[in-house]
Amino acid sequence: MGLLQRIVRNDAMKIDPPEIYSWHVLLLACSACFGGMLFGMDIGIIGGVLTLPAFESSVFIHYPLTSTTSMKLEYIVLNVNDREFGIAGLSKTDAANLSANIVSAGAFAGALIANPISDRIGRKPGLYMVSILTIVGVIFQSASSGKLAAMYIGRFISGLGLGAATMLTPTYISENAPRAIRGALTGLYQLFETTGAMLAFWINYGSLLHLTGNSTWIVPLSMQALPAILLSIGMFFCHESPRFLARNDNWEQASAILSKVRSLPIEHPYVQTELQEMQAQLEEERALIGGSGWWDIQREMWTISGNRKRALISIFLMVCQQMTGTNVRGATTSGSAETANKIYSATAINYYAPTIFTDLGVTGNANSLFATGIYGVCKVVGCALFLLFLADSLGRKKSLLGSAIAMGLCMFYLGFYVRFDPPKLGSAVPPAGYIALVAVYLFAVFFQFGWGPVCWIYVSEIPTARLRGLNVSLAAATQWLFNFVVARATPVMLTTVGNAGYGTYFIFGSFCFAMFFFVWFFIPETKGISLERMDELFGVADFKNIEDVGVAAQHAEQEKAHEIQIERLDPRSV
């Protein structure tokens, strides 16, 4: 607790009981965040597998890849043999489009379906469902043995699990986390995602160096099941969300679980006041919209101004997150070895890394994988530093503002460099090129200092109790939809927007600068505010008759200390 007080600086940390910051709540958050690692592992592993020679020479791919027929996005884009797989009437580009982004489609559906399912059966069973879907999908992929249909089915099923995880994991953590460190705990989702991607890159790198034949891609694909297994094991030791139980009027169990999560007795004023806030929020919601059916929930979200504002903020935050271009990562290759050295890395086209790593003695596919692995390390370190020192101290709004400007500057530098001194394969890398490479990696760090974790933190903490699942579901589905849109648009931009695609950087950089003004005018600060009092922040409810949970706990401690002092002064107590 002493360490947290020195690191986390907000009003809630000063007044809330130290007992609530226990290892129990940290382990609970980490267990659920293996759902985020699913996303990262999938991104990293499939992106690397698609560049492995054994996979490219398998029956999945039968002709050289070109910049127009394969974009090698983070999700599977397979160029198939039209004679063998029965699509002779399609062009190569259409064939690639047909088989692109199978996971995105599954994830979009999974994010939407997860809300009604988890609102009915609970957050914990929903996360078990995520594990099962992912494991089944991985089995299909690993055992596909060259059967394209099996690979498609596996990717789609895994996508359902990934999409559901993006909705369930932040929701579950925010409903359990203490308010003073809710940003750090919910942001662990992003940290686990980036850690999964980093581990995946090194798994691919190790497979390339130490395995042979089809095992070089079967083993990495099989490793995608590891986070799902760890998620199942972790959730076995966790409990249901107390706020989900309260919403379903199971107050006895909600009280018991909240007491356990806060490491305080049920009768403690902090626990009792938090329960009062939950009850008051639910009563306010039910008074506004009487029923609890699907149409009633939609009316509550879209006809009440404060709720509508929160839904739109959540959607636009996810649109903005993707418009940085951060999730566009892949490689565009052709049959030539020279062009194969060109890799795209995280929103910017990283022409420079392959040449630099070649100078260091790393060549071929190992070159690309090694460079991407270093990029993953930068993301993990940046995210960890942000969650530890800034998420609940600097706050949500300032983090978004600062990172938007920093990312925009990185993108504009890359745009100017590619415009006036584009890198040329085989030529020495100029000093400006090394700075450009640094800008790519700095972009990764700046993204983790704001728009990466904060979007997930914010969309899961601002909704009302009855609308939280739907709100996060819409945000997650938006994230997957615009991930797909930006991923498909970027390769076209790189070939059409200016020489060497320099305009692409200016477009993404301009979006970053525009996001600054969106946050400045429309995003209120939420650090240290309890979930229930978000209704007060957005003008939907009034909690002035309920004492703040931290203040209530302080008053109780003061009264207890006063009683002890009186007993000591009373001679009859001797």
Side-chain angles (χ1 to χ4, degrees), residues 326-378:
T326 187
N327 280 327
V328 178
R329 185 190 306 114
T332 302
T333 61
S334 71
S336 70
E338 289 185 356
T339 311
N341 282 332
K342 189 184 297 183
I343 67 168
Y344 300 149
S345 183
T347 202
I349 304 90
N350 186 358
Y351 291 100
Y352 336 100
T355 304
I356 294 171
F357 282 108
T358 297
D359 293 340
L360 297 176
V362 183
T363 59
N365 286 321
N367 186 327
S368 176
L369 291 176
F370 190 79
T372 313
I374 296 298
Y375 183 85
V377 172
C378 291

Side-chain angles (χ1 to χ4, degrees), residues 103 124 149 183 216 232 272 314 318 364 445 468 475 480 487 497 548 554:
V103 164
K124 180 176 177 177
T216 59
S232 295
Q272 288 300 310
S314 298
M318 287 305 181
V445 174
R468 184 167 294 111
W480 286 106
V497 186
D548 179 83
Q554 279 192 330

Side-chain angles (χ1 to χ4, degrees), residues 494-512:
L494 293 173
T495 57
T496 61
V497 186
N499 183 38
Y502 74 88
T504 305
Y505 300 98
F506 291 125
I507 291 173
F508 285 135
S510 298
F511 273 114
C512 290

Side-chain angles (χ1 to χ4, degrees), residues 173-249:
I173 298 172
S174 69
E175 291 181 342
N176 281 279
R179 60 180 183 169
I181 58 171
R182 187 177 59 244
L185 293 182
T186 308
L188 285 173
Y189 171 84
Q190 181 75 13
L191 179 62
F192 272 63
E193 177 190 321
T194 55
T195 301
M198 181 191 69
L199 293 175
F201 296 140
W202 295 111
I203 289 171
N204 289 334
Y205 186 64
S207 297
L208 180 67
L209 294 180
H210 303 293
L211 299 178
T212 59
N214 287 339
S215 61
T216 59
W217 59 269
I218 293 175
V219 170
L221 288 179
S222 301
M223 290 295 292
Q224 292 177 104
L226 180 60
I229 295 171
L230 295 175
L231 175 63
S232 295
I233 295 173
M235 293 310 300
F236 178 79
F237 297 100
C238 295
H239 48 68
E240 185 52 82
S241 160
R243 285 174 169 82
F244 169 80
L245 295 169
R247 178 188 168 185
N248 288 275
D249 291 324

Side-chain angles (χ1 to χ4, degrees), residues 265-284:
I266 292 180
E267 62 273 10
H268 193 282
Y270 189 93
V271 175
Q272 288 300 310
T273 306
E274 192 167 357
L275 289 168
Q276 288 176 23
E277 286 186 349
M278 292 183 199
Q279 188 172 12
Q281 184 189 45
L282 288 167
E283 289 175 355
E284 289 272 2

Side-chain angles (χ1 to χ4, degrees), residues 24 75 81 144 180 188 207 211 243 256 260 267 289 295 348 368 371 395 472 485 498 548 551:
H24 180 84
Y75 315 110
N81 183 294
S144 55
L188 285 173
S207 297
L211 299 178
R243 285 174 169 82
K260 184 177 180 180
E267 62 273 10
I289 302 291
W295 182 244
S368 176
V472 181
V485 170
D548 179 83
V551 173

